[in-house]
Amino acid sequence: MVLRSPQDALYALVSDWPVNGGVHQQRAIDFCRAWLAGRMPAETVRQAFILAALEAGVPIADDENGTASSASNPQA
């Protein structure tokens, strides 16, 4: 899965997340929603998503543009 925006991250956190109920997962969801409402910078959301991924054991990799992708489904 390739995440290109906080909107993509929100979808992953809500629909495809392997572990539900984590503190960092919920914070990242809240931050994504705040970004959608124009109240949170994308970089802050990105950092929250990374913490949620670490919490859930989801491997991630950043490309040179800051796009996160799952190690299990790397960007083609």
Side-chain angles (χ1 to χ4, degrees):
M1 170 180 289
V2 176
L3 306 176
R4 299 190 188 281
S5 72
Q7 189 169 1
D8 291 347
L10 179 59
Y11 180 82
L13 288 160
V14 172
S15 300
D16 294 331
W17 214 241
V19 179
N20 286 317
V23 172
H24 291 292
Q25 178 196 20
Q26 187 57 54
R27 178 173 288 156
I29 289 169
D30 292 344
F31 282 17
C32 287
R33 289 180 175 151
W35 175 83
L36 286 169
R39 298 188 318 262
M40 184 74 59
E43 180 59 27
T44 302
V45 176
R46 181 180 163 282
Q47 291 171 4
F49 180 85
I50 290 169
L51 288 175
L54 291 171
E55 174 182 65
V58 174
I60 59 169
D62 283 337
D63 69 9
E64 65 278 357
N65 298 318
T67 302
S69 64
S70 153
S72 60
N73 293 311
Q75 184 176 356

